[in-house]
Every structure is written in structure tokens, then in C-alpha cells.
Amino acid sequence: MSYTAGPTGFDAAAATAWRDGVPVYDRGATICVIGAGPSGLTAIKNLKEHGFGVDCYERETGVGGAWNWRHNRSPMYASTHLISSKPFTQFPDFPMPDEWPDYPKHTQVLAYLDHYADHFELRPHIWFGTEVVKAEPAEGDRWDVTTRGTAGYGSERIHRYAGLIIANGHNWSPKRPDYEGLAEFKVETIHSSAYKDVAQLRGRKVLVIGGGNTGCDIAVEAAQQAARCWHSTRRGYWYAPKFALGRPADQVNDLMLWLRLPLRMRQWLGAKTMRSTVGDLTRFGLPEPDHKLYETHPIANSQLVYYLGHGSITPVPDVKRFHRNSVELSNGEEIEPDLVVLATGYSPAFEFLDPALLNTDPQGKPRLALHVFAKRYPTLAVAGLLQPDSGLFPLVHWQTVAFAKLMRLREAAPVKASALHRKLESEVDRRWTEANVKNSSRHWFEVSHVTYLKAIDQLLQEATP
Amino acid sequence: MLSVIRTREWAFPVPPARREVLRATPEADLGKPPVLFVPGFGHAAWVFAEHWLEHTADRGFPAYAMSLRGHGASAPAPKADLRAYAHDVAQVAASLPRRAVIVGHGAGALAAAHALARYPAKAGVLVAPVFGGPSTALRNPLICLPALFGGRLRLSANQLFSRELPSSQGRTYAKRLGRASRKAQWQLLAGRNPEDPVGDPPVLVVGSPDDRIVHDSAVRKVARRYGGAPLLFPGMGHDLMLDARWREPIDAILDWLEKA
């Protein structure tokens, strides 16, 4: 079907159906994409490449999603740095410029996404300033998507699509733990999503809670600028340096994968390299890691250990409870910060969707095959709901290619397509990690990039008619 | 077959290099895709700047000509391999404002074909493609013999051009030729087949039955691999863009692009 951008072509098809007394505009074989961040952009591009019409809805006024620091849901802070080097960060068919460093700046990533949108002419497909209020299944495996202007401007409209890709990101809805006494705590407490610039820390006594990548970054900035910095972590982690053996550390890891070394040997070699470069962290008062290397998402931070060694960061254990003006730690110690930063992460949220559609369990985690495909809904996909041990973009690229191929297979060989989907349905609880991943709510969608891509690769081959 | 897992490329990324890119832009933007010309081994951007670049821009296509690393005004790269050349092509293509058409010539067509597997081009054009392999070497023993010992491929004017081009002009051109890296020349001899293009672009193969470097059957073989028949220009030499009748093939290529 031909598709011209702009309001004239958009509702050319008259309302052919009704839903609760509201007209539904049928968009035919067009597929809907929710969100124009990296996952949404690659979804549009790959669907286009497979010959589909695409409408994308983006609540903000520009592309880039989380990477666009102008967006109020963006988790970016001025010093955000990539933790995967270029070969793992770029889309597999759109290289980042040679002139950029091994780990590009977050502003460069945004420039890259902007260029991607222009290069592949994706913008005519995106409806900016439009948010999705509701997405519900309609007859014939189709989807009714209700939209309106962001923040409630304009009236609601319903369009009917042949498929739906949800790419709304998972780093925008802050996760706040329930600490005892936090409500009565009188000291300024912010979530890391509200942390933007180092000026917020200057001269203050800062407690950073959380041992993830963001927590470590903010602890490092506090070490440089604040009067005092405590860094509270629940358990021991591996702090991987960003460069090892003279190259980006993730490339060393893939060198071992290329040599097809078994996991045990890689863990041994990796741990040995870490000991010789980073050293024994218990010397600085940090707990011993309670897991083996490669068992959880890596913390890539070269500077944290440096500042621990200079005494600018005081490592402290988990918080036990908050008092009116002080924080009690699990070892009984009491500290009196004047700023608390909760770097406790984000949870995925799909506020426009009935949780049952994603087969969501009582803990709120969607049970999807390959973290993409929903049970009973072959025309629904979630893109980018992953936490890989490498960059995310290549994985999302192949996720959306697989979805496009499956959608094409539905037309070319419907029997084969439904058999393939049934096979996927049987795999909803499978994990795509090679090591035994720690069972914390942060870790359920972690994947090892090679293990995961092997599974996607197989699906791509099976989805060829 | 798509290549999804690329641990070797991830573990050993191609080192960055400065690249020469010449361009000619049409007076008005007619919405036509940019065309990127990739010269073959020993050749550099200037071979396209001579005629094809301006002509393409005159016909309304933004035109670009690049030099592979180690060629022309690009950074020296004596250790470059074929993957580095393909990387150069994909880098320049991805830097252009819109999805590009990649036109590769000679062994540059092989670099372009490898790049098509790493960048979803709008279209690909392989001009007098040298995909390598032992048969190419056996056809040109005198050219290839020095290369076996690490010397350069000895391309001479009477092998590159038809008799219609004045011989003094041909000699001037041949003198300007450089050389590809030793490793890439060896890889050409080994003749590894490129992976399938990504994004399913239309691919056109152009050649000449009187090309003294690539045999007619080799051109047909490449065309078959991309599912078509070659467009042939009898009476022309290997360097179609420098030969006396340079206008015919480029007009045919641009006509094909306008139709595709």
C-alpha cells in the first residue's frame, strides 16, 4: 500500500469500524511502532526494508528516546559515557564514524541516531508529540492503537494496524526501594533520574545508593566535586576497567569468544586479568564479589577504583533504615549526608497495555519468547527489552529483522509461520545467558550477546520461506 | 545468509583511517540518491573525477568518489586487507546524507560487494568486477607474477584502455596508478566470495567483452551471482571511466538507477 506522509494521506481511509462508539481508522497492512528511540528507529527502518508501511508514535518532539537529553524522561546526565565500545554499540549495518573514539560520548550517540533517521528517511513515518494511550487487540490478529497529543492535548483517535512493535524503552520509570523511615527522612533525596549535572553535588555531603553503572558514575563525580562521598552497595561486584591489554575491554572479551574458549576458561582468564589490572578490591573495604565474572551485567568503570584508592569515596554497606536526619547502615554505623542519590535503577513500564497481553507475571515481568514475542499474539513484539553484556543496538536490530521476517512469513506460508510461533511460545521462560545469572529483579532480562544472537540467527533462518 | 555473529569483527575492529572523498553536487536537489564511486586496486578517486563525477552531478545525482586507504590522498596503509577496504566503503557510504548507491570498479567492485553485506545500499553497481580467484591470475600472468612475490600488480596502458584512447593519454593515466597492499592482493588471488547484500538492493553488473583484464565469462559469473545478466560495452577497455567512450556506460548506469 502506498503511503504519503502528512495529515492528508493519513486518514484518507474512512472509518470502517467502531470501537465503543469511536471511529476506528483502518491503516491496512501498516505496522505501528511505539517510540522513536534507538529500538523504534531500527524497527521502522527494518520494517520499511521488508516492504511494510509504518506509523511510529513518539511522545517527544525529536528522535533518540533515552539518548535525547532534552526529553524529560531521559535518564542522561552530562557525563554519561558508553560502557560498550563502538563495534558493539553501532547498528550492524550502519557503522559509527571512524573519527569517533572507542567509547563515543552520549551526545555523539544522539547525533548518530539523528543521522540514522535522516539517512534512511524515517522521519516521515514518525508522529511526534503524540502519545499512545491504549493499545488493544482487534479481530484478525490486528491492533487498535489509541493516540492523542502528548500531555492530553487534542482529541483521541483510534487507528487499526496489522502489527504492533512496542519500543518505549525501559530506562525511564524510576525504581524506588522501600526503605524503612524514608518517608520521614528530612534530607534532600533524589533518584538518579533527576541527576543531570555535577553542579548538583558541589560542596555537599553525598550518599550514593546503588552499585550499578549509574551509581558508580555518580559516586565518581561526587568524589571529584562533593565535600564527602559515601557509596552504598548491597554486595560485591566486579568493576571492569574500560581498557585492558591496550584495547577496549569488551573487545578482549570477544577475542576470547572468537577463540571459542569455554566459559570456565574465560572466567579464569578474565578474573586473572582483573586481578592484575584492578587488583584486590577488599583492600579498599569493598566486599568480595559474591558471583563469578560474566554472571551479571558488568560494571564498566575505570575511575571508581582510582577514587577509592585516593580515599575520596568511602564504601559503605547497604542502608538499614533512614532516621529523621541520618542514615543507619547495616553494620550499625550512622552517617549524616545532606544529599542522598538513589541510583536504584528503572523498571520497564507499559502503561498503555493490559499486562495480560505480555503474559506478565505477578512480579510485573513480561514473559516473552526471546524477550520479544508474546504468547497468543503473533503480530505483537517488544523491541529492546534487554540488558546485554554488550551494546543493545545490534541486538534490537536483529530482533526487529526477525519480526519483519515473521510477518512476511505469515503471508507467504501461514502454516509454517504459526508452527514457528507455537515453537516460540514454548520458550517463554528460557534464559539467554551462558552463566547462572544472579536472581535480582534487575537481572531478569539480562542476556549474553553471543548466546542471544545465536538464538535470533536460528530464528532468522527458520523464518525464511 | 545473514551474518549475525561477528566475533572476529568485534574483537578486531578495522583501525580508523583518513580517507579522500571528492564530490560534485547538482545545482538543485532533485531528491535523487547519492552515488558513491569506489575505484579498484591501484586506482584512486581521480579516475572518477576525470569524467564520471561531474557527469553524474550534471544528471542530478549528488556524486562522490573516494580513495581506499593506501590509495590517492587517503592515509597510507601498507598492511590493509580487503576487510579494511570494505570498511572504508561502508564508512563513506554511511556518512552521506541519504542511502547511497555504491558503484565499484575492478577489484573495488569486490570491496563494494563486501561493503554491501555491511551497509544496506540503495543499489549496487559492479563495473568490470574483479572478484579474484586463481583463474583471474592465470589470465593475466604477467600482471600477477610480481604480485605473487609482494610486488605491485603491473597494469599497463594497453591493457587498461581501448585503442580509441590516444596512447599518450593512456600512458599518462597509467603512470598515475598506485598499488594496493600486499595482503589485499593475496586475498584477491584467494577470491573469497562476498556475503549476500543486506537490505536486498538491486545490483547491476557492467563490463566489456574486450576487457583484457576481466574475461567476459568472469563478468557473467558475477552477474549470475546477483541474479541478472551483465550490461556489456564492446570495444572498451577495463577502465571504462577513463576510456574514450566513457559517456556510454555512465549514462546506462544512471538510466538504470532512474528506472530502478
Side-chain angles (χ1 to χ4, degrees):
Chain A
M1 116 172 219
S2 75
Y3 169 58
T4 47
T8 45
F10 195 56
D11 280 336
T16 48
W18 296 81
R19 188 167 194 127
D20 308 327
V22 183
V24 175
Y25 296 94
D26 198 325
R27 298 284 292 134
T30 306
I31 293 176
C32 175
V33 175
I34 301 177
S39 304
L41 290 175
T42 193
I44 305 172
K45 181 215 152 238
N46 287 320
L47 287 168
K48 254 183 89 162
E49 217 166 86
H50 284 80
F52 289 101
V54 191
D55 287 348
C56 171
Y57 297 108
E58 166 57 53
R59 65 190 298 280
E60 305 282 354
T61 52
V63 301
W67 294 96
N68 198 330
W69 48 270
R70 296 179 192 90
H71 298 173
N72 59 20
R73 279 180 171 184
S74 167
M76 289 297 131
Y77 37 91
S79 64
T80 308
H81 57 103
L82 285 181
I83 55 171
S84 58
S85 67
K86 265 197 292 184
F88 302 92
T89 305
Q90 65 206 3
F91 290 114
D93 58 356
F94 197 65
M96 285 185 169
D98 265 1
E99 302 80 56
W100 288 6
D102 286 329
Y103 295 98
K105 266 181 76 77
H106 69 93
T107 48
Q108 286 176 316
V109 177
L110 178 59
Y112 173 75
L113 295 172
D114 260 317
H115 182 50
Y116 186 81
D118 290 330
H119 193 88
F120 294 109
E121 295 169 84
L122 307 180
R123 281 182 220 273
H125 295 268
I126 308 171
W127 295 82
F128 290 106
T130 308
E131 64 184 2
V132 172
V133 186
K134 217 186 308 171
E136 319 159 87
E139 73 263 20
D141 287 332
R142 311 189 70 214
W143 292 89
D144 283 350
V145 178
T146 311
T147 56
R148 65 162 182 225
T150 303
Y153 292 109
S155 58
E156 294 188 356
R157 301 166 80 73
I158 305 179
H159 292 99
R160 182 163 292 179
Y161 292 98
L164 177 64
I165 294 191
I166 299 168
N168 67 332
H170 58 261
N171 285 330
W172 55 269
S173 171
K175 187 155 71 184
R176 289 168 182 274
D178 286 326
Y179 286 109
E180 200 188 331
L182 186 58
E184 285 80 48
F185 188 51
K186 289 289 168 240
V187 174
E188 187 186 349
T189 305
I190 60 169
H191 186 270
S192 60
S193 57
Y195 174 74
K196 295 291 162 199
D197 191 86
V198 64
Q200 290 165 267
L201 307 174
R202 207 158 280 155
R204 314 209 33 193
K205 290 186 285 178
V206 184
L207 167 64
V208 182
I209 300 176
N213 279 296
T214 306
C216 292
D217 283 353
I218 298 174
V220 164
E221 302 230 295
Q224 294 164 343
Q225 301 289 340
R228 185 86 216 262
C229 169
W230 294 276
H231 186 204
S232 160
T233 51
R234 220 177 318 171
R235 46 202 190 87
Y237 293 92
W238 293 93
Y239 297 100
K242 296 189 79 171
F243 293 90
L245 310 176
R247 56 216 330 274
D250 50 2
Q251 295 177 15
V252 178
N253 182 32
D254 270 58
L255 167 63
M256 296 195 289
L257 287 167
W258 177 64
L259 294 169
R260 293 174 189 277
L261 300 185
L263 174 65
R264 289 282 179 82
M265 166 121 40
R266 278 187 285 128
Q267 283 176 325
W268 181 78
L269 276 172
K272 215 164 166 58
T273 315
M274 293 278 265
R275 252 191 306 280
S276 62
T277 50
V278 182
D280 177 12
L281 292 174
T282 56
R283 277 184 61 232
F284 303 116
L286 287 173
E288 184 85 36
D290 58 354
H291 56 277
K292 284 193 179 153
L293 200 58
Y294 308 128
E295 279 182 4
T296 69
H297 188 65
I299 309 294
N301 197 314
S302 299
Q303 287 172 288
L304 188 84
V305 179
Y306 175 90
Y307 285 105
L308 282 169
H310 286 71
S312 326
I313 299 174
T314 313
V316 293
D318 200 14
V319 170
K320 190 173 171 204
R321 59 161 299 161
F322 286 86
H323 295 287
R324 235 180 114 76
N325 290 310
S326 67
V327 182
E328 189 183 331
L329 303 168
S330 60
N331 61 359
E333 199 185 333
E334 252 184 64
I335 55 176
E336 294 186 6
D338 57 17
L339 174 68
V340 177
V341 182
L342 300 170
T344 42
Y346 300 85
S347 5
F350 308 96
E351 72 278 40
F352 48 82
L353 208 63
D354 174 4
L357 295 176
L358 298 181
N359 199 10
T360 310
D361 73 2
Q363 282 82 48
K365 62 181 197 206
R367 290 171 63 211
L368 304 168
L370 280 161
H371 299 297
V372 178
F373 302 99
K375 248 183 167 166
R376 290 189 302 281
Y377 299 101
T379 53
L380 173 65
V382 178
L385 187 57
L386 293 176
Q387 196 151 45
D389 58 349
S390 69
L392 179 65
F393 299 1
L395 277 59
V396 193
H397 169 89
W398 294 116
Q399 285 182 334
T400 56
V401 171
F403 179 74
K405 280 200 185 296
L406 281 172
M407 289 295 284
R408 278 278 166 247
L409 191 67
R410 276 169 60 82
E411 296 161 11
V415 182
K416 194 177 172 191
S418 54
L420 201 51
H421 196 259
R422 270 197 303 281
K423 189 180 155 220
L424 282 170
E425 284 181 335
S426 68
E427 292 183 345
V428 284
D429 287 319
R430 212 164 136 190
R431 303 290 297 266
W432 311 99
T433 50
E434 38 173 17
N436 194 15
V437 167
K438 289 277 127 189
N439 199 20
S440 143
S441 70
R442 187 169 84 83
H443 302 301
W444 65 267
F445 53 109
E446 284 196 356
V447 298
S448 307
H449 66 286
V450 171
T451 314
Y452 185 78
L453 285 176
K454 269 186 190 152
I456 291 265
D457 194 12
Q458 200 194 343
L459 177 62
L460 287 170
Q461 285 172 37
E462 286 169 346
T464 315
Chain B
M1 251 308 276
L2 296 161
S3 106
V4 174
I5 297 166
R6 306 174 185 166
T7 38
R8 186 170 161 254
E9 284 166 48
W10 296 331
F12 302 101
V14 173
R18 183 175 37 78
R19 284 172 291 266
E20 176 188 26
V21 180
L22 305 177
R23 69 170 185 182
T25 33
E27 277 170 29
D29 183 4
L30 304 173
K32 293 184 179 179
V35 178
L36 171 62
F37 293 106
V38 183
F41 284 9
H43 294 55
W46 67 265
V47 300
F48 292 107
E50 206 70 9
H51 308 294
W52 280 19
L53 199 64
E54 282 297 334
H55 187 74
T56 305
D58 285 346
R59 287 198 46 181
F61 293 86
Y64 300 81
M66 63 176 294
S67 297
L68 299 173
R69 60 183 66 197
H71 292 79
S74 289
K79 296 221 164 99
D81 56 3
L82 208 46
R83 183 160 72 94
Y85 292 155
H87 169 88
D88 286 342
V89 178
Q91 278 279 321
V92 176
S95 74
L96 302 180
R98 263 175 296 155
R99 253 176 104 187
V101 176
I102 301 180
V103 183
H105 172 257
L110 181 60
H114 281 292
L116 290 177
R118 291 290 176 273
Y119 166 80
K122 186 102 180 165
V125 182
L126 309 175
V127 183
V130 180
F131 270 35
S135 61
T136 317
L138 286 175
R139 181 173 156 80
N140 308 292
L142 289 175
I143 299 180
C144 293
L145 204 58
L148 273 179
F149 301 98
R152 55 172 243 163
L153 293 164
R154 283 161 49 124
L155 303 164
S156 66
N158 54 19
Q159 278 164 319
L160 293 174
F161 309 107
S162 70
R163 290 215 186 97
E164 287 170 57
L165 190 78
S167 59
S168 63
Q169 181 70 70
R171 276 198 303 277
T172 322
Y173 285 150
K175 263 194 206 119
R176 284 184 75 177
L177 297 179
R179 62 161 297 174
S181 79
R182 200 181 288 194
K183 184 157 186 201
Q185 289 182 165
W186 271 105
Q187 285 178 317
L188 192 62
L189 186 64
R192 184 170 64 92
N193 223 355
E195 289 167 23
D196 286 346
V198 290
D200 202 20
V203 176
L204 175 71
V205 177
V206 178
S208 159
D210 302 308
D211 187 330
R212 297 217 214 151
I213 291 177
V214 205
H215 193 259
D216 197 29
S217 65
V219 175
R220 282 179 201 283
K221 198 175 151 201
V222 173
R224 256 201 320 278
R225 183 195 179 307
Y226 290 96
L231 204 55
L232 294 174
F233 294 87
M236 295 190 74
H238 180 67
D239 280 0
L240 290 93
M241 64 282 179
L242 291 175
D243 214 335
R245 280 158 45 207
W246 59 267
R247 203 180 291 268
E248 293 169 32
I250 186 64
D251 271 334
I253 290 169
L254 298 176
D255 288 345
W256 176 78
L257 280 180
E258 275 167 354
K259 263 187 294 175

Short mmCIF file of all heavy atoms in Angstrom, two decimals, chain A residues 391-410:
data_model
loop_
_atom_site.label_atom_id
_atom_site.label_comp_id
_atom_site.label_asym_id
_atom_site.label_seq_id
_atom_site.Cartn_x
_atom_site.Cartn_y
_atom_site.Cartn_z
N GLY A 391 26.65 -3.90 23.69
CA GLY A 391 25.72 -2.84 23.35
C GLY A 391 24.36 -3.40 23.00
O GLY A 391 24.23 -4.57 22.64
N LEU A 392 23.33 -2.55 23.08
CA LEU A 392 21.97 -3.01 22.83
C LEU A 392 21.58 -2.93 21.35
O LEU A 392 20.86 -3.78 20.83
CB LEU A 392 21.00 -2.17 23.66
CG LEU A 392 19.51 -2.48 23.52
CD1 LEU A 392 19.19 -3.86 24.04
CD2 LEU A 392 18.67 -1.45 24.28
N PHE A 393 22.09 -1.92 20.64
CA PHE A 393 21.58 -1.64 19.29
C PHE A 393 21.65 -2.84 18.33
O PHE A 393 20.68 -3.10 17.62
CB PHE A 393 22.28 -0.44 18.64
CG PHE A 393 22.13 0.87 19.38
CD1 PHE A 393 21.42 0.98 20.55
CD2 PHE A 393 22.72 2.02 18.88
CE1 PHE A 393 21.29 2.19 21.23
CE2 PHE A 393 22.59 3.24 19.54
CZ PHE A 393 21.88 3.31 20.72
N PRO A 394 22.78 -3.57 18.26
CA PRO A 394 22.82 -4.69 17.30
C PRO A 394 21.75 -5.73 17.61
O PRO A 394 21.15 -6.30 16.70
CB PRO A 394 24.21 -5.30 17.50
CG PRO A 394 25.00 -4.29 18.22
CD PRO A 394 24.05 -3.43 18.99
N LEU A 395 21.50 -5.95 18.90
CA LEU A 395 20.53 -6.98 19.28
C LEU A 395 19.12 -6.55 18.87
O LEU A 395 18.34 -7.35 18.34
CB LEU A 395 20.60 -7.24 20.79
CG LEU A 395 21.69 -8.22 21.25
CD1 LEU A 395 23.07 -7.77 20.86
CD2 LEU A 395 21.64 -8.47 22.73
N VAL A 396 18.79 -5.27 19.10
CA VAL A 396 17.46 -4.79 18.72
C VAL A 396 17.30 -4.84 17.20
O VAL A 396 16.24 -5.16 16.68
CB VAL A 396 17.22 -3.34 19.16
CG1 VAL A 396 15.75 -3.01 19.04
CG2 VAL A 396 17.66 -3.13 20.56
N HIS A 397 18.38 -4.50 16.50
CA HIS A 397 18.33 -4.55 15.03
C HIS A 397 17.86 -5.93 14.59
O HIS A 397 16.90 -6.06 13.82
CB HIS A 397 19.71 -4.25 14.45
CG HIS A 397 19.84 -4.53 12.99
ND1 HIS A 397 19.54 -3.60 12.03
CD2 HIS A 397 20.20 -5.65 12.32
CE1 HIS A 397 19.73 -4.14 10.83
NE2 HIS A 397 20.13 -5.39 10.98
N TRP A 398 18.51 -6.98 15.10
CA TRP A 398 18.16 -8.33 14.66
C TRP A 398 16.80 -8.77 15.18
O TRP A 398 16.09 -9.53 14.52
CB TRP A 398 19.26 -9.32 15.05
CG TRP A 398 20.55 -9.06 14.32
CD1 TRP A 398 21.74 -8.69 14.88
CD2 TRP A 398 20.79 -9.13 12.90
NE1 TRP A 398 22.69 -8.51 13.90
CE2 TRP A 398 22.15 -8.78 12.69
CE3 TRP A 398 20.00 -9.45 11.81
CZ2 TRP A 398 22.73 -8.75 11.41
CZ3 TRP A 398 20.56 -9.41 10.55
CH2 TRP A 398 21.91 -9.06 10.36
N GLN A 399 16.40 -8.27 16.37
CA GLN A 399 15.04 -8.56 16.86
C GLN A 399 14.00 -8.09 15.86
O GLN A 399 13.07 -8.81 15.50
CB GLN A 399 14.78 -7.82 18.18
CG GLN A 399 15.45 -8.39 19.41
CD GLN A 399 15.07 -7.59 20.65
OE1 GLN A 399 14.74 -6.41 20.56
NE2 GLN A 399 15.13 -8.23 21.80
N THR A 400 14.18 -6.84 15.39
CA THR A 400 13.17 -6.27 14.51
C THR A 400 13.23 -6.89 13.11
O THR A 400 12.20 -7.02 12.46
CB THR A 400 13.30 -4.73 14.43
OG1 THR A 400 14.62 -4.40 14.01
CG2 THR A 400 13.03 -4.09 15.76
N VAL A 401 14.44 -7.29 12.67
CA VAL A 401 14.54 -8.02 11.40
C VAL A 401 13.75 -9.33 11.51
O VAL A 401 12.99 -9.70 10.62
CB VAL A 401 16.01 -8.29 11.01
CG1 VAL A 401 16.09 -9.22 9.82
CG2 VAL A 401 16.73 -6.98 10.69
N ALA A 402 13.93 -10.01 12.65
CA ALA A 402 13.22 -11.29 12.84
C ALA A 402 11.71 -11.08 12.83
O ALA A 402 10.97 -11.86 12.21
CB ALA A 402 13.67 -11.94 14.16
N PHE A 403 11.25 -10.01 13.48
CA PHE A 403 9.81 -9.74 13.49
C PHE A 403 9.30 -9.47 12.07
O PHE A 403 8.28 -10.01 11.65
CB PHE A 403 9.50 -8.54 14.40
CG PHE A 403 8.04 -8.18 14.44
CD1 PHE A 403 7.14 -8.95 15.14
CD2 PHE A 403 7.57 -7.06 13.76
CE1 PHE A 403 5.79 -8.63 15.18
CE2 PHE A 403 6.22 -6.72 13.78
CZ PHE A 403 5.32 -7.51 14.50
N ALA A 404 10.06 -8.65 11.33
CA ALA A 404 9.64 -8.33 9.95
C ALA A 404 9.59 -9.61 9.11
O ALA A 404 8.65 -9.81 8.33
CB ALA A 404 10.61 -7.32 9.33
N LYS A 405 10.56 -10.48 9.28
CA LYS A 405 10.58 -11.73 8.52
C LYS A 405 9.40 -12.63 8.89
O LYS A 405 8.79 -13.25 8.03
CB LYS A 405 11.90 -12.48 8.75
CG LYS A 405 13.04 -11.93 7.92
CD LYS A 405 14.16 -12.96 7.81
CE LYS A 405 15.36 -12.41 7.08
NZ LYS A 405 15.07 -12.08 5.68
N LEU A 406 9.09 -12.68 10.20
CA LEU A 406 7.95 -13.50 10.63
C LEU A 406 6.64 -12.95 10.06
O LEU A 406 5.76 -13.71 9.66
CB LEU A 406 7.88 -13.54 12.16
CG LEU A 406 8.85 -14.50 12.84
CD1 LEU A 406 8.83 -14.32 14.34
CD2 LEU A 406 8.50 -15.95 12.50
N MET A 407 6.53 -11.61 10.04
CA MET A 407 5.31 -11.01 9.49
C MET A 407 5.19 -11.33 7.99
O MET A 407 4.09 -11.57 7.49
CB MET A 407 5.33 -9.48 9.69
CG MET A 407 5.13 -9.03 11.11
SD MET A 407 3.50 -9.44 11.80
CE MET A 407 2.47 -8.20 11.01
N ARG A 408 6.31 -11.32 7.28
CA ARG A 408 6.29 -11.68 5.86
C ARG A 408 5.95 -13.16 5.68
O ARG A 408 5.22 -13.54 4.77
CB ARG A 408 7.65 -11.38 5.22
CG ARG A 408 7.81 -9.94 4.83
CD ARG A 408 7.14 -9.66 3.48
NE ARG A 408 7.00 -8.24 3.23
CZ ARG A 408 5.83 -7.58 3.18
NH1 ARG A 408 4.69 -8.21 3.37
NH2 ARG A 408 5.79 -6.29 2.92
N LEU A 409 6.48 -13.99 6.60
CA LEU A 409 6.23 -15.42 6.52
C LEU A 409 4.74 -15.73 6.72
O LEU A 409 4.20 -16.66 6.11
CB LEU A 409 7.07 -16.16 7.58
CG LEU A 409 7.12 -17.68 7.48
CD1 LEU A 409 7.87 -18.10 6.22
CD2 LEU A 409 7.80 -18.29 8.70
N ARG A 410 4.06 -14.91 7.55
CA ARG A 410 2.62 -15.09 7.77
C ARG A 410 1.85 -14.99 6.47
O ARG A 410 0.82 -15.63 6.29
CB ARG A 410 2.09 -14.04 8.74
CG ARG A 410 2.28 -14.39 10.20
CD ARG A 410 1.98 -13.21 11.09
NE ARG A 410 0.60 -12.73 10.94
CZ ARG A 410 -0.45 -13.25 11.56
NH1 ARG A 410 -0.28 -14.28 12.35
NH2 ARG A 410 -1.65 -12.77 11.38
#
